[in-house]
Amino acid sequence: MFGGMFGGGAQKPAPSAGPMSSMAGAMNQNQMDPNAQLAAAEQEMEMVTDMFARLGELCNKKCLIQRYSDEELTKAESVCIDRCVTKYFHVNREVSDKLAKMSQANQ
Amino acid sequence: MYNNYGASYQEQRLQQMMEQKQLRDFMRMYTNLVARCFDDCVTDFTSNKLGDKELTCVSRCSIKNMKMNERVGQRFAEENAKLMEEQARLGR
């Protein structure tokens, strides 16, 4: 019923890797106590779901033509969605790289 | 100070959290969808009943938006997998 960010059951993002793993990698996860590990995994899950919600809303706004002449997605809309998601992730990478560089420069 | 919960307990908790999250996200998606389709389709207030045009519009709106969500979800899962693979390769 809810396809969700897990792609209809295709892939589940593992909590140990993902957008926050650059932070998690700094702490050796095997030595973290279980409570902190759980909290980190929860944080990561929050971040991923938030990202999915924003991405969904933005790509919807940018790609969906509101006229509803048909219930099927047009080819243009489908292609737009694919490109929108790819670009969003690209922006995500760029921003995190710049952030990392800046925080390194400040140390 | 901390109980050393086994891996299975952690997995259980994580599973629980994920299920709760999915439920909440589904609820949110549903309410947003209703609001969007109402906003886009319902324009005529000369009657308190939905007209035929409004009904078809709402039907198409909900199906189309759900299909779009599905597609976004598929692409998201693919991109996220790519991102994780990349980070694993970089040793982060």
Side-chain angles (χ1 to χ4, degrees):
Chain A
M1 204 161 49
F2 171 47
M5 69 168 170
F6 302 122
Q11 305 244 12
K12 279 185 194 267
S16 57
M20 258 186 83
S21 65
S22 49
M23 275 198 249
M27 342 176 221
N28 186 348
Q29 281 204 327
N30 288 332
Q31 289 172 2
M32 274 167 59
D33 72 87
N35 277 338
Q37 241 182 355
L38 209 57
E42 185 174 6
Q43 280 274 18
E44 180 139 3
M45 202 165 39
E46 286 277 354
M47 199 172 124
V48 176
T49 37
D50 181 56
M51 183 175 176
F52 177 72
R54 286 174 197 247
L55 176 140
E57 189 168 333
L58 284 169
C59 288
N60 197 315
K61 190 172 75 170
K62 290 179 189 284
C63 289
L64 212 62
I65 310 164
Q66 241 64 300
R67 259 174 275 115
Y68 303 128
S69 51
D70 183 34
E71 66 188 32
E72 289 292 335
L73 289 172
T74 67
K75 179 113 188 160
E77 287 167 348
S78 308
V79 166
C80 178
I81 289 165
D82 295 349
R83 291 175 182 163
C84 181
V85 176
T86 307
K87 284 193 161 184
Y88 194 96
F89 271 80
H90 201 144
V91 169
N92 188 41
R93 276 197 284 279
E94 290 291 322
V95 171
S96 66
D97 283 348
K98 293 296 176 298
L99 262 167
K101 280 202 187 107
M102 273 186 66
S103 62
Q104 264 181 3
N106 284 340
Q107 279 171 359
Chain B
M1 193 153 120
Y2 299 109
N3 292 327
N4 198 7
Y5 298 121
S8 63
Y9 172 78
Q10 275 188 52
E11 273 172 27
Q12 236 182 21
R13 282 270 312 181
L14 212 57
Q15 180 74 356
Q16 247 180 8
M17 273 194 282
M18 264 200 315
E19 284 170 6
Q20 280 177 350
K21 200 151 240 349
Q22 282 188 327
L23 189 63
R24 254 184 311 186
D25 289 343
F26 175 75
M27 296 287 189
R28 203 191 332 122
M29 184 203 78
Y30 165 71
T31 45
N32 282 341
L33 187 58
V34 171
R36 170 190 301 279
C37 291
F38 176 83
D39 194 24
D40 291 341
C41 291
V42 176
T43 47
D44 178 22
F45 292 100
T46 60
S47 159
N48 63 1
K49 294 203 177 3
L50 284 177
D52 279 341
K53 211 156 66 142
E54 289 175 333
L55 271 170
T56 9
C57 178
V58 165
S59 161
R60 287 177 183 156
C61 169
S62 33
I63 294 175
K64 193 158 192 170
N65 275 284
M66 287 202 291
K67 287 196 171 152
M68 211 217 71
N69 263 322
E70 193 180 310
R71 197 181 180 99
V72 169
Q74 287 170 349
R75 292 295 103 77
F76 184 88
E78 289 168 8
E79 291 286 335
N80 205 23
K82 259 195 263 175
L83 184 68
M84 277 163 32
E85 183 196 1
E86 196 177 290
Q87 289 187 330
R89 210 171 6 105
L90 293 176
R92 287 186 198 174

